[in-house]
Amino acid sequence: MSSNIKTSPTIFVIFGGTGDLASRKLAPALYNLFLDGWMPSQFSIIGTGRTPLSDEQFRENLLNDINQFSRSGKAVAEKWAEFSQNIYYQVSDIKNADTYKEFGKRIDKHNADWKTKANVIYYLAVSPNFFPIIASNISKAKLADDPKTTRIVIEKPFGHDLATAKELNKLLSGIFDECQIYRIDHYLGKETVQNIMAFRFANSILEPIWNRNYIEHVQISVTEQLGVEERGDYYDGAGALRDMIQNHLLQLLCFVAMETPISFNADEVRNRKVDVLRAMRRFTPEDVRLSAVRGQYGKGWMQGKEVPGYREEPKVNPDSNTETFAAIKFFVDNWRWHGVPFYMRTGKRMHQSASVISIQFKDVPHFVFPASATESWQQNRLVISIQPEMSIRLQVQAKRPGLDMVLNTVDMVFDYKGTYDNQAPEAYETLLLDTMLGDQTLFMRGDQVEEAWELLMPILETWESKKSLNFPNYSADSWGPEIAEALIARDGYHWFSLPSNNKKK
Ligand code: NAP
């Protein structure tokens, strides 16, 4: 699956090379990019962490990770041998400035060996507390002086609120040009998310109906069966609003609601997305009360197994006020979307894991069929499934075969599995390739992050200042708290059921 696009010699310095993200996502992604012919002929991956390891031990660890997590299955010995000779490890403490001198020496050596000036990508796969110190130390060691060849990749979360996001942006922009900063939201690298843009802007039939005249409301649902697992210490200080809505779900909304960019240039696309965030209606305290609901899961049964409630999870405060579910109604106040509600919900320990966008169109203006024909009537919907199913379904009414006139809802389906033979790349493959190519389209710009925080601050502040008295308010393996149903039912709608294949009716 390689193309004519060529990547330049590249050195990846991975802070947190021994961590979970590096092992489950980064190492498999880099290996698959190598298998698919995207890696440059000269590249180097330098992992770093406090754990003392030799190059050989680090390679062994990554091989185990790849064997376990790579979408292409276990590594092929010959390919692994070729790939792994480019992997190195440096034990280090990221707070110690001397560490960075060592990186400098390694980078200089590669450049000398390769007789070139390679791109250097500093990947910060470490706790967000370390982002400022790493950035400052890179700067002190003069490792990012050339904006053309040095890039820094920042993992989520980017800030804990508006003030801390602004502070981090200020620090980074004092060291790097914006064109060097790659703020990751891995959702943007997902094939199906990128396809929203392709679907909207490469098909002329959609634009005339993609507005308030035809669309009644939009729902964005990202639900997980998993609980917090081992991430209690991080999650208890974050919650669903920070962990999911501030980034992934608002980005999905931007793709649905954005105006057409004049080109596929990174800043053009990002400008159109930030326009959406700027147009989103700000919440008054009364709006927060009426349009935002939160939940926390209690114990229950999932797939025949008893699971603990959130407050009983490891590293979670037994009296925690952190929300594991949030549902919010937004409005985008511009000509295209005036009056169209965008409902969002996300939660842990839900009945099903799925990320789905449902766009509901307005009803027909006049019913011509008898009531007996339309018992299972449903307005047209476009359902974009991001995961686990990767598909787009247009739900329409059609005549059921037979002598009588009975209408059913059927799906016109485009699904990746049935259409394409080749496997879709993982989001991290797309994003790592983009960092090598210097393409920032799928990365968050500083102003986008701040707009998203600003929008959510009234909800965050209200929820943090008022302890919820009814937590836990939904049980594991449910669809969240009843108040979430009430939020949407007040407007005469209900949360859509997640997609299933065309059924015989
Ligand atoms: P992790 O498993 O806890 O790994 C942390 C890494 O930081 C380890 O490699 C650790 O190395 C290194 N480290 C800690 N202190 C250090 C120090 N003083 N000097 C040098 N290295 C140090 O964390 P993670 O889950 O990979 O997450 C990393 C980042 O990715 C976080 O910002 C997280 O929010 C983000 N993220 C992770 C995931 C995921 O799936 N894991 C998903 C989305 C975003 P040693 O143990 O060898 O010291």
Side-chain angles (χ1 to χ4, degrees), residues 468-488:
S468 176
L469 297 176
N470 67 349
F471 277 0
N473 58 354
Y474 70 100
S475 59
D477 200 23
S478 71
W479 283 115
E482 277 175 22
I483 41 173
E485 298 298 332
L487 170 83
I488 193 163

Side-chain angles (χ1 to χ4, degrees), residues 11-29:
I11 302 164
F12 283 94
V13 179
I14 303 183
F15 295 91
T18 52
D20 180 67
L21 184 74
S23 81
R24 286 192 310 110
K25 297 292 179 189
L26 305 183

Side-chain angles (χ1 to χ4, degrees), residues 15-22 24-25 48-51 89 92-95 124-128 130-131 155-157 186 234 428:
F15 295 91
T18 52
D20 180 67
L21 184 74
R24 286 192 310 110
K25 297 292 179 189
T48 171
R50 288 166 305 182
T51 312
Y89 184 76
S92 59
D93 182 346
I94 47 193
K95 294 184 219 141
L124 275 48
V126 289
S127 158
F130 290 132
F131 297 165
E155 262 297 337
K156 88 162 217 204
H186 77 273
Y234 155 72
Y428 276 94

